[in-house]
Amino acid sequence: MGRKRFQHGTSGPATVRTVADLAGVSIASASRVLNGLGGSPELSARVKAAAERVGYVPNAIARSLQAQRTGLIGLAVADIGNPVYVQMMRAIEQEIAGSGRQLLIQATNAHTANETELLRGLARRYVDGLIMSPLRVTDAHLHELGRTAVPVVVVGQLPDETPIDNVRADSIGGVALAVDHLVGLGRTRIAMINGAPDTVPGAHRDAGFRASLAQHGLEPVAVEDGDFTFDAGLQATRRLLGRTRPDAVFAANDLIAAGALHALLEGGIRVPEEVALVGMDNTDIAELTFPRLTSVDLGAAARGRKAAQLLLSRLDDPSLPARRENIAPALVRRESA
């Protein structure tokens, strides 16, 4: 038979006052015992027994504030629906689980104001540390990163001199893998569908595309800019086909590539027979299209895992020097190229 709970006569949860009244001690004495701050063996036993009887649950928030630890790690990304961030999130969650912490996720919509306000808000210490992956890195970002109240790891490209732990993908090297593969297939009229060119990944992928083609003595047939979404890829490819006919398309991410594939098939163009298509990020989307997408894997899960490791080690030892980790790309070949 289970033990009956003490009925403390209130409609809400048991409080320190409830415990103190039952134990016959002052609220201050009960609070000291419940927060592990001491008390005689006899007093501690009475308070703990009373707490057990009334089902007292400590205020975790108040205790974490006293300890300067919340048990939470923040993750800030542009779009929580993007498969890249889903892969990253899963890897981070798995990595921090062993530390007893939980993940708190924030979507910023890639707005600089949202991201800088988030960094300023860290002064309230509602998380132990933050992993963020901004699409743009502005002077405002760097200013706030330089005075953040808790450790931050940035997944993305920071200036080399920035004293912040940083995990990077090699977008330029990844684009080179895609272009080399397409040229190796005999494709010479290669177009690109990019995301927003004013973002770090957009700028790097554009630069890598042009440089890689130049190494093969080629020039872009066309470059269409848009956003890193399916609809943007669809619309950009429609515009592209309205003015030229490439024999290959490189898309700056898999969402864009899926939109491009839709537009190509919509136009009666066979993939890969007439137009080869390569995406980037190697997300689950690459396996779901027909034909399946050849895609450059930029190691989203590996970046998330490494970022979590850097943050956890930083929490253990704040004196560590700033570290920079680079994740190598790999081409995953499927039927679209």
Side-chain angles (χ1 to χ4, degrees):
M1 228 178 132
R3 215 166 10 167
K4 291 178 67 176
R5 290 287 184 187
F6 174 75
Q7 301 299 312
H8 50 80
T10 68
S11 58
T15 65
V16 175
R17 178 183 290 278
T18 313
V19 175
D21 289 346
L22 180 60
V25 301
S26 69
I27 293 175
S29 295
S31 179
R32 282 195 297 272
V33 172
L34 294 172
N35 285 292
L37 300 178
S40 68
E42 188 271 336
L43 175 67
S44 296
R46 283 166 54 194
V47 171
K48 290 175 181 177
E52 170 66 18
R53 286 189 64 191
V54 299
Y56 172 77
V57 178
N59 185 327
I61 295 176
R63 293 182 67 175
S64 69
L65 288 174
Q66 290 177 348
Q68 292 295 299
R69 285 289 185 269
T70 66
L72 296 173
I73 296 294
L75 171 63
V77 297
D79 176 9
I80 58 175
N82 187 313
V84 170
Y85 298 131
V86 174
Q87 289 181 341
M88 193 179 295
M89 174 191 70
R90 287 172 179 161
I92 293 170
E93 201 164 34
Q94 290 170 0
E95 197 67 33
I96 69 171
S99 73
R101 295 180 173 89
Q102 294 180 309
L103 192 62
L104 183 66
I105 302 167
Q106 173 76 46
T108 67
N109 297 313
H111 292 161
T112 296
N114 291 346
E115 291 164 350
T116 54
E117 179 57 34
L118 183 65
L119 290 169
R120 279 192 292 272
L122 294 176
R124 297 191 294 273
R125 293 182 178 271
Y126 62 91
V127 292
D128 294 339
L130 175 70
I131 298 169
M132 69 183 307
S133 184
L135 288 180
R136 299 171 181 85
V137 176
T138 67
D139 288 343
H141 285 95
L142 297 175
H143 175 72
E144 296 301 335
L145 284 168
R147 60 191 194 122
T148 184
V150 302
V152 176
V153 177
V154 172
V155 180
Q157 198 82 13
L158 288 176
D160 289 345
E161 67 277 8
T162 309
I164 296 291
D165 292 328
N166 186 202
V167 181
R168 301 177 174 185
D170 183 4
S171 288
I172 292 177
V175 176
L177 292 177
V179 171
D180 290 349
H181 178 61
L182 290 170
V183 172
L185 295 175
R187 310 296 172 128
T188 58
R189 293 180 49 77
I190 306 174
M192 177 182 182
I193 310 295
N194 199 6
D198 66 332
T199 63
V200 173
H204 282 197
R205 289 167 202 190
D206 180 84
F209 181 67
R210 296 176 190 276
S212 297
L213 281 179
Q215 288 181 353
H216 291 283
L218 300 172
E219 292 184 358
V221 170
V223 174
E224 286 284 346
D225 296 326
D227 201 354
F228 292 99
T229 65
F230 171 89
D231 187 62
L234 174 66
Q235 301 302 331
T237 307
R238 286 172 175 168
R239 293 194 303 270
L240 171 70
L241 296 176
R243 61 192 179 96
T244 188
R245 172 63 74 87
D247 61 13
V249 171
F250 167 69
N253 76 357
D254 287 347
L255 284 168
I256 294 173
L261 178 60
H262 187 100
L264 289 165
L265 299 178
E266 171 188 80
I269 298 170
R270 293 175 300 153
V271 177
E273 291 84 357
E274 295 177 89
V275 175
L277 176 64
V278 176
M280 181 166 257
D281 286 328
N282 193 39
T283 60
D284 292 344
I285 290 172
E287 290 281 358
L288 299 176
T289 61
F290 184 80
R292 299 183 307 157
L293 287 170
T294 291
S295 185
V296 177
D297 194 332
L298 292 179
R303 282 180 281 155
R305 194 158 41 248
K306 180 56 68 174
Q309 292 168 356
L310 290 180
L311 185 57
L312 292 175
S313 64
R314 173 71 58 195
L315 289 169
D316 288 341
D317 185 359
S319 68
L320 289 170
R323 294 151 296 172
R324 185 177 303 113
E325 299 284 349
N326 296 289
I327 305 300
L331 182 73
V332 180
R333 302 182 185 188
R334 299 187 182 90
E335 291 80 22
S336 72

